[in-house]
Amino acid sequence: MVTPIQLTYQEWTLRQLLLDVSDYIGKSDAHARPELRFTGGWVRDKLLGLSSNDIDVGISTMTGYKFGILMKEYLEQPESQSKYKQGVLGSLAKIEANPEKSKHLETVTTKILGLEVDLVNLRKETYVEDSRNPIMEFGSPKDDALRRDATVNALFYNLSTSEVEDFTGQGLQDMKLKIIRTPLSPYQTFKDDPLRILRCIRFASKLGYQIELEAERSMSDDDIKDALRAKISRERVGVEIVKMLKGPDPRMALSLINRLGLYNTIFTDPREVGYDSVDTSNWKKAYDGLQEIMAPNDGCDKGLDCLGVIKSVLLRDSDDDYLAWLLCAFTPWAHIKSTVPEKSMSKAPIPLAAAIAREGIKADNKVTKLVEGAVTNLNEIVASQNTVASQGQDAPTTSPLKRKFESPSRESLGMSIRRWGPRWRNHVMYAVLVGLMEAEDDTARLLLLKGYAAWLSRLQELELLDAHALIPLVKGAQLSEALDTKVGPWMKAAMDMAMEWQLRNPDVINPADGIAEVVRRKKELGLT
């Protein structure tokens, strides 16, 4: 079947350049003229009307590195320099042959006309039982198509004929039907390389496609799950999870992971022996609830748009959105403690959810600390929210900053936010999601959302959303001088007293009264 593709100017120029290089190679006595194809995701995206700056070039008769060297040689010819601008070819980054990492044949990556281009020979793969790293050799276009994870990723664009080639015989039809299907038997496809399970889930959620039924059954097979645990590094698992959660439909990705019974295979700490699995029967409430918060249709009642309040305060940008989905992935582990000690014997085990982030998907320190903080602060956040929500919203006031509440006070709320730190919004989002997951029914769910909306509205009224970044008016040196005491262990408590005073008196800009407050309470600091 012939399907036209509209090339951009840069793509058309790249195509012409590659064909010229192929002709140049074919004119020599040493090499046959290679057939060239754009392969994989670029073809799929172009057929969907999407732009793509990453292009894989499949080469029929030589390695990508050899083709790159001959391209460089061609561009050094006088007639080539008059046709193509100097510097059209970026530096060639060679990827060495490395049998241990399944790179048996040299490839090259470079930048041409602003496009990221990988030069790769067409390949055939043969797998051994205990590794996802295949033995690779030169292959035909059909060999190369059949080795891929999905038929929609196995389409080629022939540079000579300008035609789309479908060597699996199913790729174009599957694009019409919006189906993710493996080119070969799904069981064998996933057994050979279990990373394809995660890639198929990612592409299904990216494209809004359904995974073919037999492929779903194979993904859920216990042997395939065991292969995923045994063959795939946790770093590779993490890369795919991050791509899913940064994609257009993270909820669909998490839903597939849940429905296919893959959660405990993916989100697990390989060091733990006491917790092989966690209950995910209510996890759906968390990711469905997050989707609802991100795209609210209406409020909880006429008086309070609770979904809108939660979204406006906690989900300010795309980074907050991504971190919300990431934290949502760890809600099932919220209340389970780790039994594996830290490398430093002086440190207590971090929360199991954080250990799974670090060890299970090899999250970086920033993400691990985020999950650790969210779990550590969970109970305190819930308690603070419950206290405010239980008081209602009926107290009249003319000045929100001076409004008097029985409990908690402005300084109490502000100090809590300062303890939770700059990521407190993300921690609260985690608490919301855990609460949604644990809500027994719609009534409990509605009360939870109302409660958090009321609590966040209170924080807004009191102008405490940025309390974590509030610069202290009172300095430590001023307290040391006023108390005529050298800096010591007392200082932190004294600075907290001063900050409580500052939060209690938001309009004051002179630190004198704050210093006096600390001096008055010096006995509480153990000073005489």
Side-chain angles (χ1 to χ4, degrees):
M1 178 179 180
V2 178
T3 302
I5 282 182
Q6 290 293 117
L7 302 181
T8 66
Y9 173 75
Q10 287 83 359
E11 292 165 345
W12 183 90
T13 306
L14 173 63
R15 169 182 171 273
Q16 191 58 52
L17 168 62
L18 293 172
L19 289 174
D20 286 347
V21 174
S22 179
D23 288 341
Y24 172 77
I25 293 171
K27 290 176 182 177
S28 70
D29 294 331
H31 304 287
R33 180 183 183 279
E35 292 182 354
L36 303 175
R37 293 170 172 86
F38 292 160
T39 67
W42 178 90
V43 183
R44 178 202 67 226
D45 287 347
K46 292 295 287 188
L47 290 172
L48 291 171
L50 305 174
S51 61
S52 177
N53 288 326
D54 295 324
I55 301 180
D56 291 346
V57 180
I59 306 163
S60 62
T61 58
M62 62 180 61
T63 67
Y65 184 69
K66 181 63 176 177
F67 185 89
I69 293 299
L70 292 171
M71 182 192 302
K72 189 171 182 291
E73 180 182 297
Y74 165 76
L75 288 170
E76 291 171 352
Q77 306 300 312
E79 61 272 21
S80 304
Q81 292 180 1
S82 64
K83 185 173 183 179
Y84 298 100
K85 292 181 181 179
Q86 189 173 5
V88 67
L89 178 65
S91 61
L92 298 174
K94 180 181 180 182
I95 301 175
E96 299 280 0
N98 186 347
E100 293 183 359
K101 293 187 177 181
S102 76
K103 300 183 186 303
H104 294 252
L105 299 164
E106 295 171 329
T107 65
V108 73
T109 180
T110 187
K111 195 163 190 173
I112 305 175
L113 299 165
L115 301 169
E116 299 290 340
V117 178
D118 285 344
L119 303 174
V120 186
N121 57 279
L122 297 176
R123 290 171 285 177
K124 181 179 181 180
E125 296 179 347
T126 304
Y127 285 86
V128 294
E129 178 66 25
D130 60 347
S131 174
R132 68 168 289 265
N133 297 326
I135 299 170
M136 291 197 203
E137 55 188 303
F138 282 99
S140 67
K142 185 170 184 176
D143 290 329
D144 198 88
L146 293 176
R147 72 177 180 84
R148 295 174 181 265
D149 47 25
T151 58
V152 297
N153 294 335
L155 299 169
F156 298 159
Y157 175 78
N158 189 308
L159 269 61
S160 296
T161 64
S162 298
E163 294 178 356
V164 172
E165 299 171 327
D166 183 3
F167 288 100
T168 71
Q170 295 178 296
L172 291 170
Q173 182 68 10
D174 285 344
M175 285 194 69
K176 285 185 177 181
L177 298 175
K178 297 186 176 183
I179 289 176
I180 296 295
R181 184 197 314 271
T182 58
L184 299 174
S185 157
Y187 182 90
Q188 195 60 48
T189 296
F190 299 139
K191 192 73 178 292
D192 287 342
D193 183 0
L195 187 67
R196 290 167 174 159
I197 298 170
L198 302 184
R199 286 176 56 83
C200 284
I201 290 174
R202 173 161 65 87
F203 286 117
S205 64
K206 175 182 178 179
L207 302 172
Y209 285 13
Q210 287 187 328
I211 299 175
E212 183 259 340
L213 186 57
E214 186 181 354
E216 283 198 353
R217 291 197 190 101
S218 297
M219 288 178 173
S220 300
D221 187 279
D222 287 341
D223 289 342
I224 299 301
K225 294 177 187 177
D226 290 342
L228 179 57
R229 290 190 188 96
K231 286 188 174 185
I232 307 302
S233 72
R234 304 315 295 187
E235 288 87 354
R236 295 300 298 271
V237 171
V239 167
E240 289 299 321
I241 293 299
V242 168
K243 288 181 179 179
M244 290 178 202
L245 300 184
K246 288 187 174 181
D249 195 348
R251 184 210 158 275
M252 181 179 179
L254 296 182
S255 177
L256 284 169
I257 288 171
N258 192 22
R259 183 164 60 79
L260 297 173
L262 292 166
Y263 183 88
N264 287 294
T265 303
I266 296 169
F267 296 104
T268 184
D269 182 351
R271 307 170 306 159
E272 284 278 358
V273 294
Y275 296 106
D276 292 331
S277 63
V278 69
D279 180 17
T280 59
S281 58
N282 290 319
W283 185 37
K284 184 178 187 297
K285 297 178 184 178
Y287 54 73
D288 282 351
L290 179 54
Q291 182 69 38
E292 186 179 13
I293 291 169
M294 287 188 168
N297 294 319
D298 50 40
C300 297
D301 59 27
K302 295 180 180 178
L304 183 66
D305 176 13
C306 59
L307 297 179
V309 170
I310 293 171
K311 179 180 180 180
S312 66
V313 177
L314 302 183
L315 301 175
R316 299 163 297 169
D317 52 33
S318 59
D319 187 51
D320 281 341
D321 289 352
Y322 162 64
L323 293 177
W325 286 114
L326 187 66
L327 288 169
C328 186
F330 297 100
T331 50
W333 294 104
H335 301 298
I336 302 176
K337 295 181 179 180
S338 176
T339 60
V340 178
E342 293 298 291
K343 291 181 180 178
S344 171
M345 297 303 293
S346 62
K347 293 183 178 179
I350 64 174
L352 185 52
I356 290 170
R358 186 182 65 191
E359 304 295 336
I361 63 170
K362 292 300 179 182
D364 60 21
N365 189 58
K366 174 187 171 184
V367 169
T368 301
K369 289 293 184 184
L370 174 69
V371 178
E372 181 180 4
V375 177
T376 301
N377 295 324
L378 175 60
N379 290 337
E380 188 179 351
I381 289 170
V382 171
S384 179
Q385 179 273 139
N386 284 340
T387 303
V388 171
S390 66
Q391 295 175 7
Q393 295 286 308
D394 299 324
T397 181
T398 57
S399 174
L401 292 182
K402 295 180 180 179
R403 180 175 175 179
K404 295 181 180 179
F405 301 107
E406 293 180 6
S407 179
S409 62
R410 185 175 193 271
E411 60 265 32
S412 174
L413 289 168
M415 292 302 289
S416 293
I417 290 176
R418 291 180 69 82
R419 279 194 304 278
W420 303 333
R423 285 295 182 183
W424 74 268
R425 287 177 171 85
N426 307 118
H427 297 173
V428 172
M429 189 74 250
Y430 184 74
V432 173
L433 296 175
V434 171
L436 288 171
M437 183 178 68
E438 296 173 347
E440 293 184 357
D441 51 34
D442 287 342
T443 300
R445 171 186 164 281
L446 183 60
L447 286 173
L448 178 99
L449 293 171
K450 282 185 177 182
Y452 275 102
W455 182 68
L456 293 170
S457 294
R458 177 73 62 87
L459 296 181
Q460 281 182 308
E461 290 173 358
L462 297 176
E463 297 184 5
L464 286 174
L465 298 184
D466 295 318
H468 62 280
L470 189 62
I471 298 173
L473 284 175
V474 178
K475 310 301 180 186
Q478 294 172 316
L479 293 178
S480 184
E481 181 181 354
L483 294 166
D484 193 23
T485 305
K486 291 182 179 179
V487 174
W490 59 271
M491 181 60 78
K492 182 182 184 304
M495 290 297 293
D496 285 346
M497 282 183 184
M499 179 52 68
E500 288 172 359
W501 165 85
Q502 186 174 335
L503 288 164
R504 209 162 41 242
N505 300 276
D507 298 325
V508 177
I509 59 174
N510 189 332
D513 289 344
I515 296 171
E517 169 82 359
V518 176
V519 172
R520 182 179 64 81
R521 298 172 60 188
K522 64 181 181 180
K523 287 186 178 181
E524 297 176 38
L525 303 172
L527 302 176
T528 57

